[in-house]
Amino acid sequence: MFTLYAIASIFLYFFAKIGVSYTNPPTLMMIRYFIAGLILFSISRKFILDKNVLILSLFTTTSTLFWGYGLIYVSPAASSVLSYTMPLFSIILATIIIKEIPNKYEILGLIIGFSGLGIYGIPLLKGITKIGMMLTIINAIFWALFSIYYRKLSKYDVISLNATQFILGSFFMGIVDLITIRGGFYFDPSFGLLESIVYISTVGGAFQFLSWNYLLKIERVGKVTMLAYIIPVATTITQAALYKTIPKSLEILGLTIMIIGVIISRSSIKRNTNFKK
């Protein structure tokens, strides 16, 4: 099951990258969230509407929008690697927001992880890719905020909760679309766009969520979340194979150091039920 989840997550970055070449990120993600929300609602048959879900949805929507805009400028591999810095930001934000004092493993992991991020980011600081790098890192920060806030809602039915936040998210993205439409709207109703929407809404949307939660039921949470960091590595390898390009030495070194930092920072964490995008 983890193999299926990982494959769904890896190719999500590639299909989303294709999608933002055919339409605006808010339009693409609005459609994705709406379809995924309907699929999950067909299972749960229930919406949950309150202040907490509204706040959670705002964090999730903001994270996804920055992720989508970042994909315009960076490769699927870079997007995956930069997004998976989320655990490092969650340690910092948890200290500020919920007063969780980091332990020695988390502090050491932060230092190592951000050192790796700095090394990985050096090649991206040239040209417009630096814009994508910053947008994707902001996405990781809001993903961390979402993850922290998600803890408050641990008693909610997870399928109903995510069905609701996906539907709300599609509404929020529609508003963003209307606000930003003056900057230029494009929508190319091509087969490539259709492929992107189908994949990121179903396999990379509802299925990814359901398989993640199934894994959490049959395996230790710590084991599953550690295994999830195979995804940025596998995405980098997949991109190299598909695009016939070899990652830069600094990217390989930075990615390796980042993952070591994340593993160290999470080595003493026993429970985590956060879901990616």
Side-chain angles (χ1 to χ4, degrees):
M1 178 57 77
F2 178 79
T3 301
L4 294 176
Y5 169 78
I7 292 171
S9 300
I10 291 163
F11 286 98
L12 170 63
Y13 290 92
F14 293 93
F15 278 98
K17 176 72 173 180
I18 292 170
V20 297
S21 69
Y22 288 106
T23 189
N24 303 67
T27 305
L28 180 68
M29 298 305 171
M30 174 182 66
I31 297 171
R32 179 202 182 201
Y33 267 41
F34 185 71
I35 295 173
L38 288 181
I39 293 172
L40 294 176
F41 176 71
S42 70
I43 298 172
S44 67
R45 299 290 182 178
K46 180 182 177 182
F47 284 127
I48 304 173
L49 292 173
D50 61 26
K51 182 182 72 174
N52 289 323
V53 178
L54 180 63
I55 294 172
L56 185 72
S57 301
L58 286 170
F59 286 153
T60 312
T61 302
T62 305
S63 172
T64 301
L65 283 172
F66 276 106
W67 173 58
Y69 277 112
L71 271 169
I72 295 174
Y73 304 102
V74 298
S75 68
S79 178
S80 177
V81 172
L82 295 172
S83 293
Y84 273 82
T85 59
M86 179 277 290
L88 302 175
F89 288 109
S90 67
I91 294 171
I92 297 172
L93 292 171
T95 304
I96 298 171
I97 297 172
I98 57 179
K99 310 302 179 184
E100 284 190 357
I101 306 301
N103 58 43
K104 61 182 180 181
Y105 296 103
E106 291 171 328
I107 294 172
L108 178 60
L110 274 174
I111 295 171
I112 295 174
F114 279 115
S115 298
L117 175 60
I119 294 170
Y120 185 89
I122 291 173
L124 299 176
L125 292 175
K126 300 176 182 178
I128 61 174
T129 55
K130 62 185 176 184
I131 299 173
M133 178 181 176
M134 294 307 301
L135 290 172
T136 310
I137 288 175
I138 294 172
N139 143 63
I141 293 171
F142 275 95
W143 180 16
L145 283 170
F146 154 73
S147 301
I148 293 168
Y149 202 82
Y150 201 95
R151 300 181 200 175
K152 293 182 62 175
L153 312 183
S154 58
K155 294 182 180 180
Y156 288 50
D157 175 69
V158 290
I159 299 181
S160 299
L161 173 61
N162 283 276
T164 305
Q165 74 161 349
F166 277 139
I167 296 297
L168 285 175
S170 68
F171 174 74
F172 295 146
M173 288 172 188
I175 294 175
V176 174
D177 221 357
L178 290 174
I179 293 173
T180 59
I181 198 170
R182 293 181 181 178
F185 178 81
Y186 63 100
F187 187 89
D188 181 2
S190 63
F191 184 71
L193 177 61
L194 179 62
E195 282 184 319
S196 173
I197 290 173
V198 169
Y199 188 91
I200 67 175
S201 303
T202 57
V203 178
F207 173 77
Q208 187 194 35
F209 160 77
L210 292 172
S211 59
W212 174 258
N213 281 277
Y214 178 74
L215 283 167
L216 292 176
K217 289 182 179 180
I218 64 174
E219 293 282 1
R220 291 182 296 106
V221 176
K223 178 182 178 181
V224 175
T225 51
M226 284 296 182
L227 285 173
Y229 292 98
I230 293 172
I231 292 169
V233 177
T235 306
T236 301
I237 295 171
T238 302
Q239 179 173 294
L242 291 175
Y243 298 171
K244 308 300 181 183
T245 57
I246 300 175
K248 296 179 175 63
S249 57
L250 285 176
E251 292 175 339
I252 296 173
L253 177 61
L255 173 58
T256 303
I257 294 173
M258 267 194 293
I259 291 176
I260 291 172
V262 169
I263 291 173
I264 291 173
S265 72
R266 301 177 72 83
S267 61
S268 62
I269 297 176
K270 296 181 179 180
R271 182 165 182 81
N272 184 344
T273 57
N274 302 329
F275 169 61
K276 165 65 177 151
K277 290 188 181 62

